[in-house]
Amino acid sequence: MPTTERIVIVGIGADGWGGLTEPARAAVAFAEVVIGGARHLESLPDVDGQRRLAWPSPLRAGLPALFERLAGQRIVALASGDPLLSGIGATLIEMFGAERVSVLPAVSSVSLARARLGWPAESVAVVSVVGRDVHAVLRELAPARRVLVLSSDETTPAQLAALLTERGYGASRMTVLGDLGGAAESRLETTAATFAGSVPKLNIVALELAGPLLAGWAAGLPDDAYDHDGQLTKRDLRAAALARLTPAPGQLLWDVGAGAGSVGIEWMRAHPACRAIAVEANQARARRISDNARNLGVPALQVVCGAAPQALADLPPPDAVFIGGGLTTDGMLAACLTALAPGGRLVAHGVTMETEALLVAAYREHGGELTRIHVEHAAPLGSFTGWTPGRAVTQWALILP
């Protein structure tokens, strides 16, 4: 990024200029350029010689060119509430570094909402769907759970209501808080099943969830939670694999030969900051992975439709890799091992003698943990009940030293 003067990010509430602190007002007055949304810019008093610019669209793609043009000038960026709560603050700090960015926050919409509702911070999950798929809320579904949803616009509450009702959560209480902190502050109390009417563009939705427990966050969701054509890592094997892959906040998984995407999906369900890329050569399966990810509350899962290992070449480096298919492809195992940094984890599954031979050879060369997993399920056997065995799976797990 080009050299620039220090950037000051000023958080601004629904009350606009009138709600800013004196340091925030001074920062705006001193700036040569102020960048913000139309609503924020319109709330500011005129400053002689000061330029006012709207955020580029698309935002992230347009930021480098914008700041290239503004290099060397005193810049204030306006953001809603707390700029570091799902806001532009994190993006600018990532671009320029914390040493070049100052943040002057206002009270966040989340803090205002909790104050209006009397909800302690530790009792609430926060999900942002600003510019994102509203299906992300589905990860949080659980009876009696409280969730605050940062809305993208006035259409978000209706989308939420329809989605919750579809999933059996129509009895969930919805409180739509509009223009929090402003003169036009509003409050609409309803349920997901009965939601109707219009709400302000600037709103946050408080949910008190009421419905069945559909899926937990531990690894090993029921197989019927996924749409699949048989190419699915079954729940017991999936749980064993994820236990060794060790999902951790912020870390990235490659799910190679993803099939229905179950391993990558459950990696992302483990924590909201977990990231995953599913690599699948079959186009129909790749589309199915995206559908499964949305339905299970992790629509941000990235799907790459292509054949590995070639499709892995331009991907960001992973913290962990799961190989569920294609292990006998030339260069597959080597490419995945090479991509991992020290401390990275790899788990590979094989069901054929050929893949087992590869895994035995890898175990002899690299060490790790080699396991054969046999799973049997009870099923009718005439007038009795017997055990039906599945195919034995050889699992190799490695943590790079």
Side-chain angles (χ1 to χ4, degrees):
M1 292 301 301
T3 302
T4 184
E5 296 289 336
R6 191 173 188 85
I7 299 168
V8 180
I9 308 176
V10 172
I12 186 167
D15 49 358
W17 176 260
L20 293 183
T21 63
E22 285 304 319
R25 291 186 180 196
V28 171
F30 184 64
E32 296 174 278
V33 181
V34 178
I35 310 170
R39 178 175 60 86
H40 291 153
L41 293 174
E42 289 167 1
S43 74
L44 304 182
D46 291 335
V47 176
D48 288 343
Q50 187 179 79
R51 297 172 63 197
R52 305 277 171 84
L53 301 175
W55 291 112
S57 181
L59 178 63
R60 193 176 185 96
L63 287 175
L66 173 64
F67 282 96
E68 179 75 45
R69 296 196 304 272
L70 301 178
Q73 300 182 61
R74 298 188 303 274
I75 301 171
V76 160
L78 302 179
S80 295
D82 182 352
L84 293 175
L85 180 65
S86 297
I88 192 65
T91 301
L92 294 182
I93 288 172
E94 180 183 330
M95 290 173 61
F96 293 101
E99 69 280 358
R100 302 197 67 84
V101 179
S102 296
V103 180
L104 300 176
V107 177
S108 71
S109 59
V110 168
S111 293
L112 288 171
R114 287 193 292 99
R116 302 293 189 268
L117 298 163
W119 289 3
E122 63 272 15
S123 73
V124 183
V126 179
V127 178
S128 174
V129 297
V130 178
R132 302 170 188 170
D133 192 324
V134 73
H135 284 75
V137 174
L138 295 181
R139 181 190 173 273
E140 303 299 329
L141 291 190
R145 186 161 174 76
R146 290 172 169 173
V147 182
L148 288 174
V149 183
L150 304 179
S151 291
S152 188
D153 55 33
E154 69 276 16
T155 68
T156 301
Q159 294 177 48
L160 279 174
L163 193 58
L164 291 173
T165 303
E166 176 189 310
R167 298 307 171 95
Y169 275 74
S172 299
R173 183 171 178 173
M174 290 180 64
T175 304
V176 184
L177 301 166
D179 296 313
L180 276 170
E185 182 173 320
S186 64
R187 178 170 179 153
L188 171 65
E189 296 188 11
T190 181
T191 66
T194 60
F195 176 85
S198 60
V199 297
K201 183 173 185 178
L202 185 64
N203 71 81
I204 184 169
V205 183
L207 301 175
E208 296 173 88
L209 295 173
L213 181 60
L214 300 173
W217 294 332
L221 295 181
D223 293 342
D224 61 11
Y226 297 93
D227 181 20
H228 63 90
D229 61 359
Q231 293 298 310
L232 173 75
T233 301
K234 300 300 193 293
R235 70 183 305 182
D236 299 290
L237 298 166
R238 193 185 322 133
L242 283 156
R244 292 161 174 82
L245 289 166
T246 321
Q251 295 203 335
L252 173 65
L253 171 77
W254 287 358
D255 184 359
V256 182
S262 61
V263 173
I265 287 169
E266 293 189 28
W267 168 280
M268 290 185 67
R269 283 181 60 85
H271 190 276
C274 285
R275 300 170 295 134
I277 300 173
V279 181
E280 173 55 54
N282 183 286
Q283 290 187 357
R285 290 175 186 158
R287 289 192 296 269
R288 195 176 289 119
I289 291 169
S290 294
D291 291 341
N292 283 332
R294 294 176 78 241
N295 289 332
L296 288 165
V298 288
L301 181 140
Q302 181 182 347
V303 180
V304 173
C305 187
Q310 293 83 0
L312 308 176
D314 297 323
L315 301 184
D319 299 287
V321 176
F322 175 70
I323 307 175
L327 192 61
T328 56
T329 304
D330 286 344
M332 175 75 83
L333 187 56
C336 292
L337 286 171
T338 300
L340 287 167
R345 290 87 68 199
L346 183 141
V347 173
H349 284 180
V351 295
T352 67
M353 295 177 67
E354 289 80 6
T355 53
E356 183 173 276
L358 285 172
L359 295 178
V360 169
Y363 171 69
R364 288 174 174 166
E365 180 179 356
H366 300 284
E369 179 185 10
L370 191 65
T371 309
R372 289 196 82 197
I373 303 174
H374 300 257
V375 179
E376 300 183 11
H377 293 280
L381 184 62
S383 59
F384 297 92
T385 302
W387 292 107
T388 299
R391 289 183 182 274
V393 173
T394 302
Q395 179 188 82
W396 179 51
L398 177 71
I399 300 175
L400 269 63

